[in-house]
């Protein structure tokens, strides 16, 4: 068992992998730059997905595409047999965040999509790790299966949930993932479970002045549902989040609206707690329909789980991230970063030297503000561990033009290369240490504590390929 090998041998193996990552890093920086330029929205990442598939195919991966009824989803496989290690890649952009790689707000195309979450780096960095790890396996005759999962539409399209349902993760032992950030750390769990849906009420139209008694207002139902939600807030765990918009409020004040719609997200750090809150939200919708003699249609349900931690994997990931080490900016990059930080709110600019540091290993605070990701759903099905690296200038938060600017230049690429090193060395450890995989699986079962995974997305619902335009 490789766990018995002296650490010097581990050191040599990691050294070889890190050199392989470095050898391919310039090439994959160009790949990330190309995808940054494509900036395609979820389920429409045709060019980005094709480029990554081509990169993996030419280096010897077998590519299966499309998968899971998602035109831009794919699985690239190298090797065979046990164990099976997966690496997740994303490549979708966000609407409205088109931005040049400059420290001032400067859209490339006004209102066009941009890589404000750095998924151009995410998909390319994961591919860089996969290619380096594959070459390492080849050279050292390492047995097992390495898979790159090309996962579309992370930003609201729940791409991975449908890939899970298609059985694409059923035989995977461990999944590795990473996400762009503004510091270097292991992400051992975190994010919020999220459910969302559109609440469409159907009523009866009537003249609002001449015959209001004949009307049954769908807008009244929307307003009452909103009021019910506001009263609910007092009686749910305070680390919940509920936010909504009115996507249809009627057509004219003098017509009683026969349709109206509320689009709502609810979140909580715990998937089981969220599902209790969600059931109460559904009752409020039904109550609003009862009060107004309208009918309720819940449609376009979507949702993602929180990310489950895995302590044995986190320990190894932390060691490998520390071994790969942080990085420093060149004089030009420092100048870029200082200029960019001038656009941040007062007091929020981070220390530029912090990119050289690796943050200590800690579990995320369940009460801290967080977003949501469909990586969570994967982590409820397969032991999963992740990294964050400083691809964004310290102080910059994802989903901003400043993040898109950082993701399109060398600062973002330095973070991407660090993530690839940490992913690839952790992957190599998993291939050589069966005990680590066994420990990860035991911890996975222990931490589930009998809870089960269930997505709010109805069985049989197909991927919402045009969710951005609905
Ligand atoms: Zn995002
Ligand atoms: Zn993201």
């Amino acid at each position: 068992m490789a766990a018995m090998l002296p650490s010097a041998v581990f050191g040599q193996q990691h050294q070889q992998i890190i050199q392989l990552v470095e050898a391919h890093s310039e090439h994959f920086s160009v790949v990330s730059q190309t995808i940054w330029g494509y900036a395609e929205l979820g389920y429409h990442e045709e060019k980005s997905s094709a480029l990554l598939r081509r990169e993996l195919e030419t280096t010897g991966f077998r590519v299966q595409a499309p998968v899971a009824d998602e035109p831009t989803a794919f699985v690239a496989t190298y090797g065979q047999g046990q164990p099976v290690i997966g690496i997740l890649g994303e490549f979708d952009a966000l609407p409205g965040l088109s931005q040049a790689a400059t420290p001032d707000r400067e859209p490339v195309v006004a209102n066009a999509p941009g890589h404000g979450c750095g998924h151009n780096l995410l998909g390319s960095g994961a591919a860089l790790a996969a290619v380096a790890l594959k070459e390492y396996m080849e050279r050292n005759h390492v047995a097992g299966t390495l898979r790159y999962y090309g996962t579309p539409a992370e930003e609201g399209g729940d791409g991975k949930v449908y890939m899970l349902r298609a059985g694409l993760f059923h035989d995977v032992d461990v999944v590795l993932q990473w996400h762009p950030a503004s510091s270097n750390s292991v992400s051992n769990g975190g994010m919020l479970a999220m459910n969302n849906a559109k609440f469409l009420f159907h009523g009866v139209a009537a003249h609002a002045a001449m015959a209001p008694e004949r009307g049954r207002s769908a807008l009244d139902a929307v307003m009452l549902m909103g009021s019910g939600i506001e009263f609910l807030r007092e009686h749910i765990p305070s680390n919940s989040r509920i936010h909504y918009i009115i996507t249809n409020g009627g057509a004219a004040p003098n017509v009683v609206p026969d349709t109206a719609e509320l689009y709502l997200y609810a979140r909580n750090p715990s998937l089981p707690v969220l599902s209790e809150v969600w059931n109460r939200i559904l009752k409020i919708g039904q109550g609003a329909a009862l009060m107004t003699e309208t009918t309720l249609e819940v449609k376009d349900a979507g949702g993602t789980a929180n990310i489950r931690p895995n302590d044995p994997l986190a320990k190894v990931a932390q060691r490998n991230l520390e071994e790969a080490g942080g990085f420093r900016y060149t004089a030009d990059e420092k100048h870029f970063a200082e200029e960019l930080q001038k656009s941040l709110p007062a007091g929020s600019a981070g220390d530029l030297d912090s990119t050289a540091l690796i943050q200590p290993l800690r579990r995320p605070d369940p009460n801290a503000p967080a977003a949501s990701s469909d990586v969570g759903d994967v982590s409820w099905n397969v032991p999963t561990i992740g990294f964050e690296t400083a691809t964004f200038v310290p102080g910059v938060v994802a989903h901003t033009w400043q993040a898109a600017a950082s993701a399109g230049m060398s600062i973002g690429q330095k973070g991407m290369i660090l993530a690839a090193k940490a992913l690839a060395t952790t992957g190599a450890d998993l291939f050589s240490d069966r005990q680590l995989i066994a420990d990860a699986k035991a911890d996975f079962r222990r931490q589930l504590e009998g809870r089960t995974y269930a997505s709010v997305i109805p069985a049989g619902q197909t991927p919402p390929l045009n969710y951005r335009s609905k």
Side-chain angles (χ1 to χ4, degrees):
M1 217 182 311
M4 302 298 189
L5 291 172
S7 59
V9 176
F10 253 126
Q12 282 166 18
Q13 292 171 337
H14 284 192
Q15 212 49 45
Q16 194 184 22
I17 295 163
I18 284 170
Q19 279 165 9
L20 285 166
V21 170
E22 280 170 357
H24 292 285
S25 63
E26 215 165 298
H27 178 74
F28 279 92
S29 294
V30 175
V31 170
S32 82
Q33 196 69 32
T34 307
I35 294 174
W36 181 82
Y38 292 154
E40 298 167 296
L41 293 176
Y43 291 129
H44 300 283
E45 315 96 325
E46 285 95 7
K47 288 188 279 187
S48 309
S49 168
L51 174 56
L52 288 167
R53 292 198 307 265
R54 211 160 48 238
E55 287 297 330
L56 290 160
E57 206 154 32
T58 52
T59 49
F61 283 79
R62 309 183 293 278
V63 175
Q64 192 189 348
V67 292
D69 294 324
E70 297 174 356
T72 49
F74 68 94
V75 180
T77 305
Y78 169 76
Q80 56 200 354
Q82 301 295 319
V84 182
I85 306 300
I87 303 180
L88 302 180
E90 298 169 7
F91 30 77
D92 57 325
L94 285 159
L97 284 178
S98 174
Q99 167 65 33
T102 55
D104 303 299
R105 179 65 171 132
E106 203 181 317
V108 180
V109 180
N111 303 316
H115 272 291
C117 211
H119 293 182
N120 62 309
L121 301 168
L122 202 169
S124 306
L128 169 57
V131 166
L133 185 51
K134 178 246 167 196
E135 283 185 11
Y136 165 82
M137 291 170 74
E138 213 166 27
R139 282 188 193 182
N140 297 281
H141 311 287
V142 174
T145 305
L146 172 62
R147 285 208 197 115
Y148 178 103
Y149 285 88
T151 69
E154 187 281 324
E155 299 288 0
D158 307 327
K160 295 179 193 68
V161 178
Y162 298 94
M163 293 178 79
L164 276 161
R165 286 188 177 182
L168 296 169
F169 289 90
H170 78 280
D171 61 345
V172 186
D173 292 295
V174 171
V175 161
L176 303 174
Q177 57 101 10
W178 82 285
H179 198 285
S182 58
S183 62
N184 305 315
S185 67
V186 167
S187 15
N188 188 25
M191 304 295 252
L192 304 177
M194 173 178 75
N195 286 351
N196 60 74
K198 289 172 181 158
F199 293 79
L200 174 60
F201 292 91
H202 298 276
V204 180
H207 194 296
M210 275 202 319
E213 72 284 358
R214 293 189 188 177
R216 295 292 179 268
S217 170
L219 178 60
D220 288 358
V222 161
M223 305 285 279
L224 286 164
M225 182 171 180
S227 297
I229 298 293
E230 297 316 320
F231 283 105
L232 177 72
R233 286 191 201 277
E234 185 185 347
H235 306 288
I236 56 175
S238 57
N239 55 3
S240 307
R241 294 271 192 274
I242 304 178
H243 23 257
Y244 55 87
I245 56 172
I246 296 174
T247 38
N248 172 5
N254 59 357
V255 179
V256 173
D258 62 350
T259 62
E261 188 181 78
L262 185 112
Y263 186 13
L264 179 143
Y265 285 19
R267 312 192 205 214
N268 186 277
S270 153
L271 186 63
V273 172
L274 176 64
S275 92
E276 284 168 29
V277 171
W278 189 250
N279 285 335
R280 297 174 70 187
I281 290 171
L282 292 175
K283 283 183 189 166
I284 288 170
Q286 289 154 2
L290 185 64
M291 282 189 279
T292 52
E293 296 185 345
T294 58
T295 56
L296 169 62
E297 184 187 343
V298 181
K299 51 182 270 199
D300 300 338
T304 54
N306 57 302
I307 301 182
R308 301 205 54 77
N310 192 290
D311 293 332
L313 292 176
K315 258 184 226 150
V316 172
Q318 179 74 16
R319 183 194 68 199
N320 292 344
L321 184 61
E322 284 173 5
E323 181 189 55
F327 55 88
R328 292 189 187 278
Y329 293 161
T330 62
D332 282 353
E333 288 163 350
K334 204 167 172 220
H335 179 70
F336 178 98
E338 283 164 352
E339 287 300 307
L340 187 78
Q341 283 185 332
K342 288 178 186 167
S343 67
L344 300 178
S348 63
D351 176 8
L352 295 187
D353 291 327
S354 67
T355 61
L357 306 173
I358 308 298
Q359 300 300 314
L361 181 60
R362 61 171 94 88
R363 283 272 192 94
D365 174 0
N367 296 313
S372 305
S373 165
D374 58 7
V375 170
D377 296 76
V378 175
S379 76
W380 275 79
N381 289 277
V382 185
T384 299
I385 197 67
F387 299 94
E388 288 189 347
T389 59
T391 59
F392 305 145
V393 170
V396 168
V397 177
H399 291 210
T400 58
W401 67 261
Q402 291 93 338
S406 312
M409 47 91 66
S410 58
I411 286 177
Q413 290 151 14
K414 279 187 169 170
M416 175 190 86
I417 295 160
L418 169 57
K421 288 175 182 173
L423 287 168
T425 49
T426 305
D429 289 350
L430 287 161
F431 279 114
S432 63
D433 187 352
R434 297 296 172 104
Q435 189 56 45
L436 175 57
I437 293 176
D439 291 348
K441 287 184 172 176
D443 195 62
F444 175 79
R445 282 190 298 272
R446 184 179 62 77
Q447 296 204 39
L448 273 180
E449 291 169 346
R451 285 171 295 207
T452 51
Y453 163 79
S455 165
V456 72
I457 300 173
Q461 182 169 309
T462 53
L465 301 183
N466 292 306
Y467 72 107
R468 284 283 179 207
S469 52
K470 267 191 304 195

